[in-house]
Amino acid sequence: MFSKNTTYNFKLMTAFLVLFAICTQFARAQNKAWQAASFEVIKSNYKTFKTTQYAHVFSNSKSNIVRLASELEGLKGVELPLDSYKSGTNAPLKLKFKENVQLLIGVFQEKDNKDYLQIASSDKAKLVLENGVTITGLPPVNVYAVAFAKGTHTILPNAKGLFVLLGAVKSNQNLTFRNAEFPDGKLWNPTFIVEGFSDEKPLFEIIGGENKPVIDEGFPGVDGIQGGFEGGRVVKVGDTYHMFPTERAGEMGVPYYYDRVKTKIGHWTSKDAIHWKRESTILQASGTYAITEDDNPMNDRRAAIWSYMPVFNAKANKWYGYYLAYTVHKEIEPNHSFGRIWRCESTVEGIDGIAGPYKDIGIIMEPGLDSQPWEGRQGVASFFPYRVGDKFYGFYSGAYPFESWKDYPKKSGKGWFVALAESNSLEGPWIRMNKGLEPIKSIHPMFVENPIVSQLPNGIYIAVFDGGPDGWGHHLPNMMGYSLSKDGVNWSEARYWPIETKVDKWWDIMRTPLCLIPEGNDVYTIVYNAIDLKRRFHPTGMVKLKLNREVMDARLKELK
C-alpha cells in the first residue's frame, strides 16, 4: 500500500493540510463570487465552459483547473485552442457584450516566453488576483481585469501568446485585489485526462451516489477499528454485496500511526451497497515491528495485512483470496516493507462459500532473485488476477523504488508502479512477464495503485485503481482512475472520475475503488475509501456511474 511517510513526517504534513483546509474554507467564506456579466461568442467555433474546478480551458490539451479563487467560481469562460494561441495562428476571438463589462484574463507568469501572453498592470489591464488559478501542466496564473464597453469586440487582437479567458463581470463590480497563493501548475506533471472535462466524450457519466460516507465512525460494526478503511474488494453474489476491506484497527491507547500497522481483513455484507453489516474477521495482522532493516526471516513477515482480493475459481468451485502481508519497520520510510502475496481458499465449496472460513495455501509472489529494483522496498505491494482466454494475468505492484540494488535496503525513491505476471492457472506458479524488467507506464508514469480488473459488455478489459493523492507533498489527480485494454496486456492512458462534481465532497484525499459492479441498464456501482484529514477514521463511500455504449465501442476501435 501507499506509505504516507514516516511517522513524524506524516503527522507534520497532515497537520499542515488540515490547517490549509481550514484556512481555505475561511478564505472562501470571506471572498464571495464576483457577479457575472453575460456575453456571446460571435462567428467562431470556440466553446464556453463553466469556470470551476476541473474546467477544461483549452481545446487540444489535457490541461484543467485544479485550484481556483472563489471569486471566479461559476463564471463563464471561453475554451481557446492551445496550440494555435501559442503559435499565434489563432482565429480572432469576438465577443458581444450586452453591457459594460470587465473581462477576466488569466496570464501565465513565465516572462520572456513567447508561448504566453505578456501583459503588465495598467489602466486597461488591472491585476486583481495574483496566483489566482492553477492549471495542470502550465505556469502560475495572475488574473487581470480588462474593461470593455457594451457591443462587439475582438479580444486582444494584437496580443501574442496563450492566455486563459475566465469570464466577464459587471463593470461596476468592485474587484478587490488579493494574492490567492495557489501553486504552480507545472507541479502537476504529467497532465491527465479528467472524464467529462476534456475534448473527448466520457465513457462513464457520474449519475449520483451517497453524499456522505456509507460506513463511518460510530456506525454499527466499526468498534475496534480506530483508523477506518483502505483498499480491498467488493463483489456481488446474487443480491448481496460482499466487502473485504482492510480495517485500520490499531490498538486502544496507541496513536494513529499504529492504525496502519495492526490491521484486519473484515467481511461485510449489504443489500444496497449503502447499509452494511460486519459479519466476521477473515485475517488478523500481528502488528509486530521488524528487528532488522533488511528482508530477514527474523522479522515478522505478517506484521500488517492489506489488500484482500476474493476471486471465484469456477474450475475448483471455490473462492480464493489473494492478500498482501508486510514486514513493518518503525522508522525507515516506507514502514510497510517487503510485501508478500498470499493465497487462501474458502473451506466451503460453491459460490455461496464466499464467507469462508478460509485456510492459507501459501505465498505466490515475493521479493526474490527475479525482483527488479523498481519494485522497491515496498514490493510486492498488491496483486489482482484475471483471466484472458486460456491464460491468467495478474497485476502486481511495487513502490518506493531503488535506483539500483546498491540502494538496498534503505535508500528508496518515489513511485508506485504496476506490472504483469502470468500463469496457466489461478493457483500459479506466477511468473513476472518480461522478467519484470519494466513496469507499465502507459497508464500513468508514476502512480497506479491497487488495480481491479473486469470486462465491459463489448469485451474491453477495464482496470479501476487509486490515482494518487493531491497532498502529502504529491500533486497527483486525487481521483479514482481507469484504464482500458483490448488484450488484457497493453493498457491505455488513464482517465479519472471527478465524482465530487455530482456528489458532496466529504473527503480531502481520494483513495481506492473496491469494485466496478454492473447493476443492469449500463449502471455501475463503485464502493471506495477516502480520507477526511480532520479525522483519524478513514470512511467508505459509494457512487453510481452510467456507461455510454457508443463511446465504449469507439474506444474498442481505438485500442491497439
Side-chain angles (χ1 to χ4, degrees):
M1 302 298 291
F2 171 51
S3 179
K4 287 88 173 176
N5 239 324
T6 51
T7 300
Y8 58 93
N9 283 337
F10 177 62
K11 288 182 178 179
L12 182 63
M13 184 59 70
T14 301
F16 171 79
L17 289 168
V18 170
L19 180 61
F20 175 79
I22 293 171
C23 291
T24 299
Q25 291 174 2
F26 178 78
R28 286 178 176 171
Q30 298 300 310
N31 301 291
K32 296 180 179 179
W34 290 333
Q35 190 174 3
S38 62
F39 63 85
E40 59 180 297
V41 181
I42 304 297
K43 295 181 179 179
S44 79
N45 295 322
Y46 293 169
K47 299 176 182 178
T48 61
F49 62 84
K50 183 179 180 181
T51 305
T52 188
Q53 189 175 30
Y54 304 127
H56 184 55
V57 294
F58 300 118
S59 58
N60 302 313
S61 82
K62 301 174 190 174
S63 296
N64 294 78
I65 292 174
V66 287
R67 299 284 193 279
L68 180 72
S70 56
E71 294 94 325
L72 304 172
E73 186 71 43
L75 298 178
K76 182 174 75 172
V78 178
E79 187 178 299
L80 305 179
L82 183 141
D83 292 333
S84 61
Y85 264 85
K86 276 190 171 184
S87 63
T89 60
N90 54 285
L93 172 62
K94 291 187 177 182
L95 302 181
K96 182 177 181 180
F97 303 109
K98 297 180 180 180
E99 59 184 309
N100 296 341
V101 304
Q102 300 178 75
L103 198 63
L104 300 177
I105 304 293
V107 177
F108 296 101
Q109 300 176 57
E110 194 159 292
K111 293 182 179 179
D112 302 322
N113 187 335
K114 295 181 180 179
D115 287 344
Y116 303 116
L117 173 68
Q118 304 296 312
I119 195 170
S121 290
S122 66
D123 293 335
K124 293 184 178 180
K126 178 184 176 183
L127 179 62
V128 293
L129 286 170
E130 188 174 352
N131 301 307
V133 181
T134 298
I135 299 174
T136 55
L138 295 171
V141 177
N142 285 343
V143 180
Y144 291 81
V146 181
F148 285 90
K150 177 182 178 181
T152 300
H153 299 269
T154 300
I155 306 304
L156 304 181
N158 300 317
K160 302 295 182 183
L162 185 69
F163 61 91
V164 55
L165 202 160
L166 294 160
V169 297
K170 296 180 181 296
S171 62
N172 61 357
Q173 176 80 59
N174 180 27
L175 307 182
T176 303
F177 169 82
R178 73 180 178 97
N179 186 346
E181 300 182 336
F182 288 135
D184 187 343
K186 289 187 289 186
L187 294 171
W188 280 259
N189 183 25
T191 52
F192 47 88
I193 301 171
V194 182
E195 187 92 327
F197 292 86
S198 71
D199 294 325
E200 63 186 26
K201 291 182 179 180
L203 178 61
F204 291 92
E205 178 189 358
I206 303 157
I207 58 174
E210 293 301 295
N211 290 316
K212 58 185 179 180
V214 295
I215 307 179
D216 205 348
E217 192 170 14
F219 280 35
V222 304
D223 293 344
I225 306 172
Q226 297 185 102
F229 304 89
E230 186 179 327
R233 192 184 186 197
V234 175
V235 296
K236 193 175 184 181
V237 178
D239 63 353
T240 302
Y241 299 87
H242 296 262
M243 178 167 61
F244 297 85
T246 302
E247 299 173 346
R248 298 161 41 93
E251 192 170 299
M252 294 299 295
V254 180
Y256 65 90
Y257 67 82
Y258 195 57
D259 296 351
R260 60 193 311 273
V261 178
K262 195 167 186 179
T263 57
K264 299 178 184 178
I265 303 299
H267 175 214
W268 297 67
T269 60
S270 174
K271 294 294 186 181
D272 56 10
I274 299 172
H275 303 91
W276 291 90
K277 178 185 177 184
R278 192 178 192 280
E279 301 288 352
S280 66
T281 297
I282 301 296
L283 294 162
Q284 169 73 65
S286 71
T288 303
Y289 284 108
I291 300 171
T292 71
E293 297 176 343
D294 61 343
D295 187 13
N296 192 308
M298 291 176 62
N299 300 323
D300 189 330
R301 290 174 167 174
R302 295 172 63 90
I305 291 176
W306 291 77
S307 192
Y308 188 91
M309 299 292 173
V311 176
F312 186 68
N313 185 341
K315 184 177 180 180
N317 192 33
K318 63 175 62 177
W319 285 91
Y320 288 1
Y322 299 83
Y323 65 92
L324 167 63
Y326 280 123
T327 297
V328 178
H329 198 282
K330 195 168 187 178
E331 297 175 355
I332 298 175
E333 180 183 358
N335 59 347
H336 285 164
S337 303
F338 312 123
R340 286 173 163 78
I341 305 301
W342 285 72
R343 184 176 73 84
C344 59
E345 294 181 0
S346 176
T347 59
V348 179
E349 292 190 351
I351 194 75
D352 294 326
I354 189 169
Y358 287 80
K359 65 177 181 180
D360 278 323
I361 303 301
I363 295 169
I364 64 162
M365 287 194 78
E366 63 181 325
L369 295 177
D370 56 349
S371 297
Q372 295 297 322
W374 68 262
E375 295 180 33
R377 185 175 171 90
Q378 201 166 61
V380 179
S382 70
F383 185 81
F384 186 86
Y386 57 97
R387 184 170 188 159
V388 177
D390 294 330
K391 288 187 68 66
F392 291 89
Y393 296 102
F395 270 117
Y396 72 97
S397 69
Y400 289 82
F402 302 119
E403 188 172 327
S404 73
W405 287 124
K406 292 186 298 183
D407 295 331
Y408 176 89
K410 294 196 299 182
K411 188 180 178 183
S412 58
K414 295 297 174 66
W416 293 261
F417 306 111
V418 294
L420 289 175
E422 60 183 339
S423 176
N424 291 323
S425 72
L426 283 170
E427 292 84 6
W430 290 91
I431 308 299
R432 289 165 168 84
M433 294 178 66
N434 191 31
K435 297 182 180 179
L437 292 177
E438 290 291 336
I440 297 169
K441 293 190 176 181
S442 58
I443 303 173
H444 187 280
M446 72 160 290
F447 198 105
V448 179
E449 191 170 68
N450 293 325
I452 294 176
V453 179
S454 56
Q455 283 183 278
L456 297 179
N458 66 350
I460 291 179
Y461 294 90
I462 181 169
V464 297
F465 60 92
D466 174 358
D470 180 4
W472 297 311
H474 305 285
H475 297 283
L476 292 159
N478 206 32
M479 290 175 273
M480 297 179 286
Y482 74 87
S483 175
L484 302 176
S485 176
K486 191 174 185 177
D487 58 8
V489 176
N490 299 286
W491 290 89
S492 70
E493 181 179 3
R495 275 73 171 169
Y496 297 89
W497 287 309
I499 67 172
E500 63 267 41
T501 61
K502 294 294 179 68
V503 299
D504 291 346
K505 185 180 179 183
W506 50 262
W507 64 90
D508 298 300
I509 302 290
M510 174 55 68
R511 290 310 317 268
T512 310
L514 279 66
C515 58
L516 182 68
I517 295 176
E519 306 288 10
N521 298 318
D522 295 326
V523 172
Y524 288 77
T525 296
I526 293 180
V527 178
Y528 63 92
N529 302 133
I531 299 173
D532 178 351
L533 288 168
K534 297 182 292 297
R535 297 190 296 135
R536 178 173 180 169
F537 194 96
H538 296 181
T540 296
M542 187 275 281
V543 67
K544 298 281 189 180
L545 308 177
K546 178 86 171 180
L547 175 69
N548 185 320
R549 290 200 174 221
E550 180 181 344
V551 175
M552 175 185 69
D553 290 337
R555 294 279 182 89
L556 178 60
K557 294 177 182 178
E558 295 168 1
L559 293 171
K560 295 180 181 179

